[in-house]
Amino acid sequence: MRRQLYADYTAALSRIRTALNECAQEDIPAAERPRKVREEFLTPGAYEIRHQLAIVAPPEIVDAARSAFVVLRDTRDLLVAGASVDDAAYAELEERFDAAIAALRTVMRLDLGAAKSITDR
């Protein structure tokens, strides 16, 4: 069950990241931007899966899951405020997400008894 939740959660985060990146590149009218960005953020269902993780996953997974989610939430807020893909703050959040998702995958893999990373075989 945990393996499926982990896969579902990381997939939801990936879908959010892609959707936010597309919003960052689009020329969305200012009046529509907050609604569009928030809608794209919510659609993959990461909130719901994160609550399931909080019930069944060890604390280190719950913490890492929240950390990755918070970076995407910060990205959402930055885009709602009008940022674009060319802004330095957006690029920094992209880097933070890469680090957060890598850390999340590592603790998930360790919890499932897999190698620390796909390159450690």
Side-chain angles (χ1 to χ4, degrees), residues 1 18 21 58 76 79 94 119:
M1 179 176 72
T18 298
N21 188 267
R76 176 203 64 194
L79 295 175
E94 284 281 283
T119 58

Side-chain angles (χ1 to χ4, degrees), residues 15-16 37 73 78 87 93 107 121:
R15 287 191 299 274
I16 291 170
V37 170
R73 192 178 61 202
L78 185 70
D87 291 330
L93 286 169
V107 293
R121 295 181 189 210

Side-chain angles (χ1 to χ4, degrees), residues 37-73:
V37 170
R38 286 185 179 110
E39 180 180 299
E40 295 292 339
F41 181 81
L42 292 174
T43 298
Y47 270 115
E48 296 83 354
I49 301 168
R50 203 173 111 221
H51 287 292
Q52 292 175 43
L53 286 174
I55 294 169
V56 301
E60 60 274 9
I61 304 250
V62 174
D63 291 344
R66 182 183 186 286
S67 294
F69 184 83
V70 165
V71 176
L72 290 177
R73 192 178 61 202

